[in-house]
């Protein structure tokens, strides 16, 4: 294990910011990558999600808002052709390609729990699942 990620294993689960940890892990396969560029992209997603959540109270409305931001505004979709492609699990590759697995596409939505009130706690994760389903339907 490299020293650059050693701290992740020493943290309490609740202290780990999922999006930042995924970015650090992905950076291992991308030597010399400018992580600030990807942090800026994650921040842009956070801002867009906060703006889109508006009055979305129901899970369906929340999923629609998530889909609007992630699919329509940022152009993300699920890789339905090469599901087992390792790039689908690499956050840097997912951001670059705008393509990934449902779980890797949800990482920017989870973040540190402040990304959006829609995904700010575990009880709110059903909208993420709904978003993945909506995104898949929109690709057809």
């Amino acid at each position: 294990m490299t020293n650059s990620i050693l701290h992740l294993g020493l943290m309490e689960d609740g202290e780990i910011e999922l999006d930042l940890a995924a970015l650090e892990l992905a950076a291992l396969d991308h030597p010399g990558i400018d992580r600030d560029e990807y942090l800026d992209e994650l921040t842009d997603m956070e801002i867009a999600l906060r703006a889109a959540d508006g009055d979305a109270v129901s899970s369906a409305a929340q999923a629609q808002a998530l889909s609007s931001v992630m699919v329509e505004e940022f152009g993300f979709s699920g890789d339905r052709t090469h599901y087992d492609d390792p790039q689908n699990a690499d956050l840097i590759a997912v951001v670059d390609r705008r393509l990934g697995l449902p779980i890797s596409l949800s990482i920017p939505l989870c973040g540190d729990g402040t990304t959006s009130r829609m995904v700010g706690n575990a009880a709110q994760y059903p909208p993420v699942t709904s978003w993945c389903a909506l995104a898949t339907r929109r690709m057809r």
Side-chain angles (χ1 to χ4, degrees):
M1 181 176 297
T2 179
N3 288 336
S4 67
I5 61 165
L6 183 62
H7 69 281
L8 293 174
L10 301 174
M11 297 172 76
E12 294 293 324
D13 290 349
E15 297 173 348
I16 297 172
E17 295 181 34
L18 183 59
D19 54 349
L20 300 180
L23 184 59
E24 287 184 61
L25 291 168
L28 295 174
D29 289 332
H30 303 272
I33 196 83
D34 181 6
R35 283 188 275 172
D36 288 341
E37 176 184 331
Y38 294 91
L39 289 172
D40 290 346
E41 185 79 18
L42 293 174
T43 300
D44 290 347
M45 284 183 234
E46 175 184 347
I47 291 167
L49 286 167
R50 286 182 186 276
D53 72 7
D55 296 324
V57 176
S58 72
S59 291
Q62 292 171 354
Q64 183 61 46
L66 287 169
S67 180
S68 173
V69 170
M70 298 304 288
V71 175
E72 295 169 17
E73 186 172 338
F74 284 90
F76 284 91
S77 66
D79 189 344
R80 297 175 63 189
T81 307
H82 304 293
Y83 195 82
D84 60 347
D85 185 339
Q87 292 185 90
N88 289 330
D90 175 328
L91 185 58
I92 290 172
V94 168
V95 170
D96 286 345
R97 297 166 54 227
R98 298 292 202 252
L99 194 64
L101 300 176
I103 192 69
S104 61
L105 293 172
S106 70
I107 289 172
L109 304 177
C110 300
D112 65 0
T114 62
T115 299
S116 150
R117 70 176 167 79
M118 291 185 281
V119 292
N121 62 55
Q124 299 276 340
Y125 282 106
V128 174
T129 304
S130 299
W131 168 75
C132 292
L134 268 176
T136 301
R137 278 197 302 249
R138 286 180 174 206
M139 293 185 313
R140 290 184 183 150

